[in-house]
Amino acid sequence: MFTYEKPDNLVSSFETTRAEHPTAPFIGTKNANGEYEWDSYEALGKRVDNLRGAFARLGVGPGDTVGIIANNRPEWFVTAMAAYGRRASFVPMYESELEKLWHYIVRDSRMKVLIVSTRAIQEVVAPFLVTVETLERIYVIEDVGHESLADLERMGAEHPIDPMTPAPDEVASIVYTSGTTGDPKGVMLTHGNITSNARAGWRLYPFLEQSSASISILPWAHSYGMTAELFCFMQFGGRIGIMESVATLGQDIETI
């Protein structure tokens, strides 16, 4: 049997860094003034704790699937880690995807809870609650009312629960292919697969450290962006600034 180097799952990997670098900036996004605002490891960790508690209240557990339709943003990471902490699988999808592909992926992955970035997307996918047998709830990031992610996090804060620790051979994320030559295919990536690849990337570039910064260009829904950037930098307490757009990339690189 193959033995993975510890930490061999994404929950333990994040919690280790969170304990070592609680105040270090992790994910940065641009505000309305064009300045980057940074969420620390501990700040994001508290949101993960809250959402994990909410997922537990919704009955999310081992063998279930949580999905997201959103571009790279702090809530993408928070949703993923909260799902992992319930030993559930996480399925990321692109905002620019076709509705029929969203529907196929939600149905094929037997998704239980879906998080979406905007009310506009929520209106498109709302019928999935009827047409996909396993889908029970949809929540919106960019909202604060009923059925918003903020509402879900508030509920979880009132019902805290410790994270579960996934085994390295448990499925962490299911990344779907583009579907340009047929139906999308779900590639099942285990916790051990992702953590070992992220660690290998770090060892290839040993100069990476807590003061290192990355500009996020590739979507984290892409296996390379997920593994080589997000979860690689998470290991050593690095920071990741999300570019605003291709048009602002030059300035964003300079700023970050």
Side-chain angles (χ1 to χ4, degrees):
M1 180 179 177
F2 184 81
T3 302
Y4 289 95
E5 184 179 339
K6 302 288 185 179
D8 57 11
N9 67 86
L10 291 164
V11 173
S12 297
S13 181
F14 173 63
E15 292 299 336
T16 297
T17 305
R18 178 184 178 182
E20 293 176 349
H21 306 286
T23 62
F26 184 15
I27 299 176
T29 54
K30 259 187 177 180
N31 62 23
N33 297 322
E35 301 168 336
Y36 273 88
E37 297 180 345
W38 296 87
D39 290 311
S40 69
Y41 279 84
E42 180 59 25
L44 288 172
K46 288 179 179 177
R47 293 189 68 183
V48 171
D49 294 343
N50 293 341
L51 189 55
R52 182 179 63 246
F55 282 166
R57 296 288 291 181
L58 295 178
V60 173
D64 288 328
T65 304
V66 173
I68 194 168
I69 301 174
N71 295 332
N72 296 3
R73 58 190 300 158
E75 291 82 6
W76 194 106
F77 174 81
V78 168
T79 302
M81 294 307 306
Y84 299 150
R86 294 298 299 160
R87 290 177 57 203
S89 299
F90 175 68
V91 177
M93 290 170 279
Y94 300 101
E95 287 188 23
S96 58
E97 197 58 87
L98 297 174
E99 177 186 348
K100 67 178 183 180
L101 292 183
W102 285 337
H103 187 269
Y104 178 86
I105 292 169
V106 170
R107 186 183 70 239
D108 186 67
S109 65
R110 300 190 61 78
M111 196 171 292
K112 187 170 188 173
V113 177
L114 174 61
I115 309 296
V116 302
S117 59
T118 66
R119 280 290 175 190
I121 293 177
Q122 187 269 340
E123 290 173 2
V124 173
V125 300
F128 296 0
L129 290 166
V130 176
T131 59
V132 179
E133 181 181 358
T134 59
L135 187 63
E136 298 179 1
R137 302 292 182 91
I138 298 174
Y139 295 91
V140 184
I141 296 171
E142 295 178 11
D143 206 331
V144 294
H146 181 58
E147 296 183 342
S148 68
L149 185 64
D151 189 47
L152 198 57
E153 290 182 50
R154 283 191 292 270
M155 178 179 74
E158 297 172 356
H159 303 280
I161 189 168
D162 290 335
M164 297 178 174
T165 303
D169 61 353
E170 290 183 34
V171 175
S173 290
I174 306 175
V175 176
Y176 277 80
T177 61
S178 63
T180 53
T181 57
D183 290 332
K185 306 297 189 295
V187 181
M188 296 181 289
L189 305 176
T190 66
H191 282 270
N193 172 218
I194 295 174
T195 54
S196 62
N197 278 329
R199 186 176 298 110
W202 186 12
R203 287 179 176 165
L204 281 172
Y205 301 96
F207 55 81
L208 290 171
E209 58 183 5
Q210 192 267 319
S211 63
S212 298
S214 172
I215 176 135
S216 185
I217 299 172
L218 275 179
W220 295 336
H222 186 288
S223 59
Y224 191 87
M226 179 193 300
T227 305
E229 180 184 59
L230 178 59
F231 294 129
C232 180
F233 270 64
M234 184 183 78
Q235 299 171 103
F236 49 81
R239 59 191 174 99
I240 302 171
I242 300 172
M243 76 167 184
E244 179 182 359
S245 67
V246 173
T248 65
L249 178 57
Q251 181 62 46
D252 293 346
I253 290 175
E254 182 179 353
T255 303
I256 294 169

